[in-house]
């Protein structure tokens, strides 16, 4: 993926997210969350492929491209979310998410690792759907288990910043014990999640740069 493609892709995804949110959902709050969610899905799908550079480029070129592309995702996500009256920070979370996943794939050497990291990123966005069957029902402390599912999910953090009542949204979480177990648990928003992702991305990117010949 070239730098031009990496910078233009978030804008295209933002347009797609806005079109989907406007056509599929009613109400500014729902639409803002839908736009933020689709930007995060785009970040998870494309982020691991952003750390790239042309043959013969400077050693730091992949890290630079990944950082620039992450910034582009942040701007595009913020605009998409703000277009429906939502907090720009919630949409901007797509930037750190794309950067963190790209840095981890870069550290792992690219190749098939990129696809594996993308799949993992998408799985994190769905923790509140699959966590119950895989982990929650066996957990001794269900609130702690559900809190972990939430902590791994950038979409859930974005929903807190947007004030989107996903716990009571029947379309998304009807009869979902993971969501129900989070009642009374303090939940972090997009700001706290962004900080964690930037720390992960910075650490992985730095280690990836050091291990390159």
């Amino acid at each position: 993926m070239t730098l031009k493609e990496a910078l233009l892709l978030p804008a295209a995804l933002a347009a797609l997210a806005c079109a989907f949110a406007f056509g599929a959902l009613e109400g500014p709050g729902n639409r803002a969350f839908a736009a933020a969610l689709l930007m995060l899905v785009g970040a998870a799908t494309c982020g691991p492929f952003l750390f790239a550079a042309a043959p013969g480029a400077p050693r730091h070129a992949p890290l630079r491209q990944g950082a620039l592309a992450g910034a582009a995702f942040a701007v595009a996500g913020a605009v998409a979310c703000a277009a429906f009256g939502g907090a720009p920070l919630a949409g901007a979370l797509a930037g750190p998410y794309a950067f963190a996943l790209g840095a981890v794939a870069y550290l792992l050497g690219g190749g098939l690792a990129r696809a594996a990291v993308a799949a993992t990123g998408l799985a994190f966005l769905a923790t509140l759907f699959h966590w119950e069957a895989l982990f929650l029902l066996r957990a001794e402390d269900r609130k702690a288990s559900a809190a972990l599912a939430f902590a791994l999910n950038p979409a859930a953090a974005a929903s807190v910043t947007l004030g989107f009542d996903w716990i009571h949204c029947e379309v998304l979480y009807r009869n979902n014990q993971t969501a129900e177990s989070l009642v009374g648990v303090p939940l972090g928003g997009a700001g706290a999640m962004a900080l964690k992702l930037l720390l992960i991305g910075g650490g992985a990117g730095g280690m990836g740069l050091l291990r390159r010949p």
Side-chain angles (χ1 to χ4, degrees):
M1 183 179 289
T2 67
L3 178 58
K4 182 178 180 180
E5 291 170 340
L7 295 178
L8 290 177
L9 180 62
L13 288 171
L16 177 63
C18 286
F20 171 82
F22 185 80
L25 298 173
E26 295 183 1
N30 292 346
R31 287 173 176 168
F33 177 70
L37 177 60
L38 260 70
M39 286 303 300
L40 286 167
V41 169
T45 304
C46 304
F49 300 89
L50 297 178
F51 278 62
R59 186 164 174 259
H60 66 276
L63 187 60
R64 173 177 172 270
Q65 176 165 316
L68 289 174
F73 262 98
V75 172
V79 170
C81 206
F84 297 105
L89 179 59
L93 191 56
Y97 200 42
F99 175 70
L101 294 175
V104 171
Y106 175 61
L107 174 62
L108 296 176
L112 290 176
R114 296 183 188 275
V117 171
T120 301
L122 290 171
F124 283 162
L125 293 175
T127 53
L128 297 179
F129 291 102
H130 62 65
W131 197 265
E132 177 181 325
L134 295 177
F135 305 106
L136 187 78
L137 297 181
R138 304 188 195 95
E140 294 183 4
D141 186 343
R142 291 195 176 185
K143 281 192 178 293
S145 180
L148 177 58
F150 182 95
L152 295 173
N153 194 327
S159 74
V160 172
T161 296
L162 290 169
F164 179 73
D165 190 12
W166 47 269
I167 290 180
H168 296 102
C169 182
E170 291 189 2
V171 175
L172 294 178
Y173 302 112
R174 186 176 183 180
N175 298 323
N176 186 307
Q177 293 188 45
T178 302
E180 293 169 1
S181 298
L182 284 169
V183 175
V185 176
L187 304 176
M193 176 63 75
L195 179 59
K196 289 190 292 186
L197 291 171
L198 289 173
L199 289 174
I200 292 170
M207 289 188 288
L209 186 62
L210 289 174
R211 70 188 293 268
R212 292 294 179 270

